[in-house]
Amino acid sequence: MKIKQIGILEKEAFSPTVVPGINSIDLSAPIAIQYELSGKCNQRCIFCYNTWKNKSVLNSISDTLLSEKRWKVVDKIIASDIFEVILSGGEPLLIPEVCDIVSRFSKENIRIYLITNGILLSKQMVNQLKEAGLEGIQISLHGSNAEIHEAITQTPGSFNKTINGIKNAVKFFDDKSININMVLMKENYTDIESMIKMLNGIGQMSFSIGFLSKAGLATSLDTNKDLILESFYKAMKISKELDVDLGISGGFPFCLFPIEEQKKIIDISANICDAGLNQLVISPNGDIRACVCLPQILGNILKDNIIEVWENDPFLHFLRNLKHVPLVCYDCDLVSICKGGCRAAAYCYYGNFERIDPIIEDKECGEC
C-alpha cells in the first residue's frame, strides 16, 4: 500500500527496517523537493555544504541549467504530485526568473519556500516574491557584525547587504514566515547572544542555530561540542528573555545533549533527517539526490521519471531501511528521529555510514 493522502494508516503502509521495532512509511512520491536553482553564489562561505565544493565530486553537478531546461525541471516537479518546494542553491536569487518560478509553483497549490543569503533582497525583490506566492523565507546570517560574518562568508560588504535584506523581508512577511539561520562554528561561538539581541532590534522573526554538517567545504572545519552546547544554552536563555522563537536546523546527534534534555530538544528541532524518506533534492544541473549534503546521484530529472526513481532506486531503499544508522544507536529511544546524527556528515567525513556524526567524535555514545 502506498500513501496518497492523509488518513488512517494501515499496517501495509509501513515497511520494517534493520533497526528492531522501527518501521518506515511507504510514500507514493516525495512530500517535498528542494531544488538547487543555481550552482553559483555571491558568497564564499567557509562551511558551504554544497557537495560540488568538495574536490572529490564532479564539478558538473554545479552546472546551472539554461532557462528553458530549468522550466522543464519545474514542470516535472509539478507533475510529481509533491506538496512543497524549497528553492535554494548556490544563491537562488541569481536566477532572473526566480519570481516567475515561485508563482508557477504557487498557482499549482504547492507550498513554496526560499533559502537565501539575503544579499539580493531589495524591497522590490521581496515585494515580487510575496506577490508571487512565496510562503516563507530563510536568510543566512552568521555574525552580529561585519567582522565575524564576513570572516565566514569571505565576501566584503556582505554583512550590511544581508542586514538590509532582512529589514526588507520584515516589511513584507510576518514573523512566522521569516527565519534567520546562523551556522554555529568556532568563528561565531561567542557571538550568539549579540546576534539574537541585534535581530530582535530589527523586528519579529524566528531564529535558528544550524549545526555544522561536515560535507562539502566543511569537512575540514573543526568543531567543539562543549562550545556548541555553551552557545546553545546562551541562545536558549536570551531567546526566552526576549521572547524570540528559537529552533535548530540541520541533522545532529541528540546525544550531543544531556539525557534529561534530549526529548525537549525535539520540540525545537526545525528539521530531522528525512533523506530518502519524504524528500528529494534536484541539483542545479537536474541531477536527483537524496539530501543536499549527499553526493550520490540517483538519476537526472530531465531524462528520468522522478517517481520511478523514488520507488526503485537502491540507495533510497538503503536509506529507508535505515542501513545508514550506526549499530551503536540501535538501542536508543530516539534512534528513529536522530539516526546517529547527520548521516551525510558521517559519510563525507569518514567515507562510510557506520560512524556516528563527527560533531561528537570524541564523545562516548553509550550515554544515549
Side-chain angles (χ1 to χ4, degrees):
M1 175 181 177
K2 300 296 176 72
I3 307 303
K4 292 187 177 181
Q5 60 186 26
I6 297 175
I8 298 174
L9 304 185
E10 303 293 341
K11 270 188 175 182
E12 292 79 8
F14 298 89
S15 295
T17 70
V18 297
V19 181
I22 304 297
N23 296 326
S24 64
I25 300 177
D26 294 328
L27 298 174
S28 62
I31 293 174
I33 285 179
Q34 183 164 166
Y35 183 16
E36 297 171 327
L37 270 180
S38 174
K40 298 178 181 179
C41 191
N42 46 9
Q43 292 189 156
R44 300 183 299 277
C45 298
I46 61 175
F47 65 86
C48 184
Y49 61 72
N50 286 149
T51 58
W52 57 83
K53 298 289 179 66
N54 190 315
K55 293 180 181 178
S56 65
V57 180
L58 293 176
N59 288 331
S60 61
I61 294 178
S62 68
D63 291 344
T64 302
L65 296 171
L66 296 176
S67 180
E68 181 182 353
K69 288 188 176 180
R70 227 175 0 250
W71 281 111
K72 289 183 179 179
V73 172
V74 170
D75 288 338
K76 294 196 76 171
I77 290 175
I78 291 170
S80 300
D81 290 332
I82 52 90
F83 297 94
E84 179 178 304
V85 168
I86 303 165
L87 299 179
S88 67
E91 173 51 51
L93 295 184
L94 290 172
I95 300 300
E97 69 270 27
V98 62
C99 293
D100 294 329
I101 291 174
V102 169
S103 178
R104 177 84 168 90
F105 283 123
S106 179
K107 288 177 180 177
E108 294 292 336
N109 294 317
I110 294 173
R111 296 188 298 271
I112 180 75
Y113 301 92
L114 179 74
I115 299 175
T116 175
N117 59 38
I119 287 178
L120 299 176
L121 282 176
S122 64
K123 288 182 182 178
Q124 181 182 11
M125 173 61 75
V126 177
N127 183 42
Q128 288 176 344
L129 288 168
K130 179 67 174 179
E131 290 186 346
L134 189 71
E135 296 202 25
I137 184 168
Q138 182 181 84
I139 304 172
S140 301
L141 183 70
H142 308 297
S144 65
N145 57 60
E147 182 180 2
I148 296 174
H149 179 74
E150 291 171 15
I152 294 170
T153 66
Q154 299 183 96
T155 308
S158 60
F159 175 77
N160 286 335
K161 291 176 182 177
T162 296
I163 291 296
N164 286 334
I166 293 171
K167 290 178 178 178
N168 291 332
V170 169
K171 293 175 182 177
F172 291 91
F173 288 88
D174 62 39
D175 60 314
K176 301 298 183 183
S177 303
I178 305 173
N179 170 253
I180 309 302
N181 187 62
M182 174 187 190
V183 176
L184 202 58
M185 61 192 83
K186 66 179 182 180
E187 286 78 5
N188 60 16
Y189 281 140
T190 61
D191 191 46
I192 198 153
E193 184 173 344
S194 297
M195 269 282 290
I196 296 174
K197 288 181 177 179
M198 183 267 293
L199 291 171
N200 191 59
I202 293 177
Q204 289 293 312
M205 64 199 81
S206 67
F207 175 72
S208 61
I209 298 171
F211 286 157
L212 189 73
S213 291
K214 291 201 173 187
L217 294 179
T219 53
S220 61
L221 297 182
D222 294 328
T223 53
N224 185 308
K225 61 181 176 58
D226 294 326
L227 290 177
I228 289 172
L229 287 175
E230 182 181 339
S231 299
F232 179 76
Y233 291 137
K234 283 182 180 178
M236 289 190 70
K237 180 177 181 295
I238 192 66
S239 61
K240 186 175 182 179
E241 290 175 0
L242 298 177
D243 194 26
V244 173
D245 185 12
L246 176 67
I248 307 175
S249 67
F252 64 94
F254 279 83
C255 54
L256 178 69
F257 296 90
I259 294 176
E260 64 273 14
E261 297 181 14
Q262 291 172 13
K263 292 185 178 179
K264 296 178 183 178
I265 298 301
I266 296 175
D267 294 335
I268 59 172
S269 298
N271 56 315
I272 306 300
C273 178
D274 52 10
L277 300 179
N278 57 37
Q279 179 175 255
L280 287 177
V281 174
I282 307 299
S283 304
N285 69 344
D287 283 342
I288 303 168
R289 300 178 3 251
C291 165
V292 294
C293 295
L294 282 172
Q296 287 83 355
I297 296 171
L298 318 179
N300 189 289
I301 193 170
L302 292 173
K303 61 184 179 62
D304 296 309
N305 184 301
I306 199 167
I307 300 302
E308 291 180 2
V309 171
W310 178 258
E311 292 182 342
N312 301 317
D313 185 82
F315 184 64
L316 292 179
H317 286 288
F318 169 81
L319 297 177
R320 290 169 197 157
N321 287 331
L322 301 187
K323 291 181 179 179
H324 60 327
V325 174
L327 185 63
V328 69
C329 300
Y330 279 22
D331 293 331
C332 177
D333 291 339
L334 301 178
V335 63
S336 62
I337 301 172
C338 175
K339 304 178 184 72
C342 180
R343 300 293 76 225
Y347 176 82
C348 294
Y349 190 74
Y350 297 116
N352 63 65
F353 289 105
E354 297 176 4
R355 301 282 293 273
I356 201 162
D357 192 318
I359 201 170
I360 55 168
E361 58 183 337
D362 61 340
K363 181 180 175 69
E364 295 273 345
C365 298
E367 293 182 14
C368 45

